[in-house]
Amino acid sequence: LVLLSSILSLAACGKLLVVPLDGSHWLSMREVLDRLSQKGHEVVVVAPEINLHIKPTKNLIMKMYPVPFTQEELDHTFWRTSQEVFEEGTFLERFLKTYERMKNVSATLLSTCTYLLHNKELIRYLEESKFDAVFTDPILPCGQIVAEYLSVPSVVFLQQIPCGLDFEATQCPNPPSYVPRLFTDLTDRMDFLQRVKNLLFDLPNFLLCDFVFQPYAQLASEFLQRKVTVTGLLSQASIWLLKIDFVLHFPRPLMPNMIFIGGVNCAPKKLSQ
């Protein structure tokens, strides 16, 4: 009976591959991974050697790979991005700054994904490890590319993704008359002119998305040896864990595989009353 119970307990545990996004995204994800590790699951994290916060821990198995930039270059890119987030201005000024910011960050993230997929030794290790699932942040589609390559289910963990890709990938309703768009400062209660404004503000997002995510589609098509789109890759995700709630976010439509797991946080803290 003791032997049988020990075997059953092992069978209940899984092997999870994690392809994270650095920064605050990782700090939130790490809380989940620590808890999964404590429950007996084997958690393997694949990350670039040069990063901001993804450091080895005793609970997680880390697989690091080289990238073509230095720590100083990475720190400067994200420092500049953090400064621009709080700058004010007109819609056009904010749009152009957002475009330039996404351009710089996207180039860095794309290079990390490229070096991961081209690392033959690491990819061979992932093939041989027989993972049960991939846990990833869809803002960096690299995790979804790996999940597709390994033919394993994926769980995505996010607050929001630019250009409404989460709505497209899940075929979730996203009406401009109801869901406020970025930079509009609108609420979910709009009159006719505000709905028109909301629709117009949504158009530049397609330009941003095409610039940011099209290189991943090309990279994925080369790696998987068939033509794919980022939306098509994300549509394969089994579960969407959303770090949002209706305290900081407006109500929005959902699909059955979209699950709210609470507001934005990096670690549990005891707050004053």
Side-chain angles (χ1 to χ4, degrees):
L1 288 176
V2 172
L3 178 61
L4 180 60
S5 64
S6 64
I7 293 175
L8 290 176
S9 66
L10 289 174
C13 296
K15 194 170 186 179
L16 186 68
L17 173 62
V18 182
V19 185
L21 180 62
D22 205 352
S24 60
H25 296 256
W26 164 251
L27 297 178
S28 295
M29 180 179 283
R30 190 179 62 189
E31 293 294 316
V32 179
L33 300 180
D34 287 341
R35 184 61 61 88
L36 288 173
S37 179
Q38 292 169 14
K39 289 181 175 293
H41 301 287
E42 183 179 343
V43 181
V44 179
V45 179
V46 174
E49 292 177 345
I50 305 299
N51 61 73
L52 297 176
H53 301 299
I54 307 175
K55 309 304 178 186
T57 68
K58 62 180 181 179
N59 296 329
L60 310 175
I61 300 172
M62 308 295 292
K63 294 294 181 181
M64 316 299 281
Y65 58 92
V67 285
F69 48 81
T70 66
Q71 188 68 55
E72 291 73 19
E73 291 172 336
L74 180 68
D75 291 344
H76 178 75
T77 297
F78 279 89
W79 174 83
R80 185 57 191 155
T81 298
S82 66
Q83 299 302 305
E84 292 174 349
V85 166
F86 298 101
E87 293 180 3
E88 299 181 352
T90 64
F91 168 76
L92 180 60
E93 291 172 336
R94 288 187 292 169
F95 175 81
L96 292 176
K97 288 179 180 178
T98 300
Y99 180 86
E100 188 65 27
R101 180 168 70 247
M102 293 180 70
K103 177 181 176 182
N104 295 333
V105 174
S106 295
T108 301
L109 296 179
L110 180 63
S111 66
T112 66
C113 184
T114 303
Y115 272 68
L116 165 58
L117 299 180
H118 289 173
N119 191 316
K120 294 182 179 180
E121 182 179 348
L122 180 55
I123 294 298
R124 190 180 307 112
Y125 164 80
L126 299 181
E127 292 173 342
E128 296 171 352
S129 296
K130 306 299 181 183
F131 290 100
D132 296 301
V134 172
F135 190 51
T136 187
D137 191 314
I139 295 181
L140 181 63
C142 206
Q144 197 59 43
I145 298 173
V146 173
E148 189 73 10
Y149 178 76
L150 299 177
S151 298
V152 297
S154 60
V155 177
V156 295
F157 181 79
L158 76 159
Q159 179 197 351
Q160 59 184 2
I161 190 169
C163 319
L165 279 182
D166 49 342
F167 291 93
E168 284 191 52
T170 57
Q171 298 185 1
C172 183
N174 187 26
S177 60
Y178 182 76
V179 180
R181 297 316 196 242
L182 191 65
F183 298 140
T184 60
D185 297 324
L186 296 173
T187 71
D188 57 324
R189 297 176 180 272
M190 293 175 269
D191 58 29
F192 176 75
L193 290 180
Q194 288 174 327
R195 292 177 185 179
V196 172
K197 174 185 176 182
N198 201 41
L199 178 63
L200 293 176
F201 271 55
D202 200 28
L203 298 178
N205 283 335
F206 294 102
L207 298 177
L208 286 176
C209 263
D210 186 64
F211 176 83
V212 172
F213 290 107
Q214 184 57 32
Y216 288 100
Q218 297 173 355
L219 178 62
S221 298
E222 295 171 3
F223 182 70
L224 299 173
Q225 297 185 344
R226 58 185 172 85
K227 188 172 180 58
V228 297
T229 64
V230 171
T231 304
L233 286 170
L234 294 179
S235 69
Q236 299 301 313
S238 300
I239 301 294
W240 292 69
L241 300 180
L242 303 180
K243 298 183 293 178
I244 62 177
D245 57 34
F246 293 152
V247 175
L248 297 176
H249 302 85
F250 293 111
R252 49 164 284 184
L254 291 176
M255 296 301 278
N257 63 338
M258 305 173 99
I259 303 171
F260 284 159
I261 58 173
V264 181
N265 63 82
C266 291
K269 300 290 184 181
K270 291 185 178 180
L271 302 178
S272 65
Q273 187 63 35

